[in-house]
């Protein structure tokens, strides 16, 4: 079965954009819409499905908030998905510094976030990364300074580190 991961990721990006900036990290299970509606027929109306569900469609199901007192890599290493989950997606905001190959040396004590924001070329970005069990991946990236639906970057290998980390959540015994 081939699922439309691109549409699921871009749909989550549009959803996140409507909620505005400065949101916490959010994790979603991606469930085949047709199977979900078959198991839970009462959800069809809630999902806006009036006819038979598109067999390639995925429904994002938001998970409990991720622990904020643990590195993201460690949190992802503890996630295991049931077989009914076809994929997963993560929405997160980060501050990046663009335009330089030079290694930055943040202060060892003090407000690292404030220091990073003060750097020339600092840019807030929202990343949405999604993966499927079969290894498919897709990502979207929106810069705060270009906060417009027609300025969203998207593609299969846009955020390879994050999609690789998400893929590991489907490996047995990770």
């Amino acid at each position: 079965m081939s699922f439309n991961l691109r549409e699921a990721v871009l749909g989550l990006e549009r959803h996140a954009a409507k909620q505005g900036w400065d949101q916490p990290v959010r994790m979603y299970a991606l469930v085949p819409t047709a199977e979900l509606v078959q198991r839970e027929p009462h959800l069809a109306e809630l999902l806006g499905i009036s006819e038979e569900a598109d067999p390639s469609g995925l429904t994002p199901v938001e998970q409990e908030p991720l622990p904020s007192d643990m590195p993201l890599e460690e949190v992802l290493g503890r996630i295991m998905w049931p077989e009914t989950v076809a994929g997963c997606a993560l929405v997160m905001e980060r501050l990046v510094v663009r335009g330089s190959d030079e290694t930055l040396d943040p202060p060892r004590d003090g407000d690292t976030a404030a220091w990073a924001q003060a750097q020339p070329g600092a840019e807030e970005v929202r990343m949405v990364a999604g993966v499927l069990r079969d290894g498919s991946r897709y990502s979207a990236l929106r810069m705060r300074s270009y906060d417009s639906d027609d300025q969203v970057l998207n593609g299969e290998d846009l955020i390879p580190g994050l999609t690789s980390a998400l893929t590991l959540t489907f490996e047995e015994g990770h």
Side-chain angles (χ1 to χ4, degrees), residues 130-144:
V131 300
L132 296 178
R133 281 186 186 276
D134 69 5
S136 302
R137 43 180 80 192
Y138 205 83
S139 304
L141 187 132
R142 181 186 294 241
M143 293 183 241
R144 193 169 192 156

Side-chain angles (χ1 to χ4, degrees), residues 24-72:
V25 174
R26 292 204 165 99
M27 186 80 174
Y28 296 84
L30 299 176
V31 180
T33 304
E35 291 176 25
L36 180 64
V37 169
Q38 185 177 13
R39 279 193 316 270
E40 306 284 343
H42 65 281
L43 291 178
E45 187 177 338
L46 186 65
L47 296 172
I49 300 170
S50 57
E51 298 176 19
E52 193 169 322
D54 177 357
S56 71
L58 291 164
T59 297
V61 179
E62 188 168 356
Q63 304 299 292
E64 294 291 322
L66 299 178
S68 58
D69 60 342
M70 188 182 303
L72 182 61

Side-chain angles (χ1 to χ4, degrees), residues 5-149:
L5 180 59
R6 178 183 185 274
E7 186 53 42
V9 166
L10 293 176
L12 282 170
E13 198 291 321
R14 287 187 300 270
H15 177 71
K18 288 178 186 169
Q19 294 177 334
W21 288 89
D22 305 317
Q23 299 293 318
V25 174
R26 292 204 165 99
M27 186 80 174
Y28 296 84
L30 299 176
V31 180
T33 304
E35 291 176 25
L36 180 64
V37 169
Q38 185 177 13
R39 279 193 316 270
E40 306 284 343
H42 65 281
L43 291 178
E45 187 177 338
L46 186 65
L47 296 172
I49 300 170
S50 57
E51 298 176 19
E52 193 169 322
D54 177 357
S56 71
L58 291 164
T59 297
V61 179
E62 188 168 356
Q63 304 299 292
E64 294 291 322
L66 299 178
S68 58
D69 60 342
M70 188 182 303
L72 182 61
E73 297 80 12
E74 190 175 329
V75 172
L76 293 178
R78 296 174 181 215
I79 293 175
M80 294 184 68
W81 299 104
E83 288 299 317
T84 54
V85 174
C88 67
L90 187 80
V91 179
M92 65 188 287
E93 296 176 15
R94 287 294 182 257
L95 185 68
V96 297
V97 179
R98 57 186 161 82
S100 173
D101 291 340
E102 133 187 10
T103 302
L104 299 175
D105 190 20
R108 297 197 192 289
D109 50 350
D111 188 350
T112 309
W115 172 85
Q117 228 163 1
Q119 297 304 303
E123 177 74 50
E124 289 180 77
V125 297
R126 177 184 306 113
M127 299 178 281
V128 182
V131 300
L132 296 178
R133 281 186 186 276
D134 69 5
S136 302
R137 43 180 80 192
Y138 205 83
S139 304
L141 187 132
R142 181 186 294 241
M143 293 183 241
R144 193 169 192 156
S145 63
Y146 294 93
D147 193 2
S148 171
D149 288 348

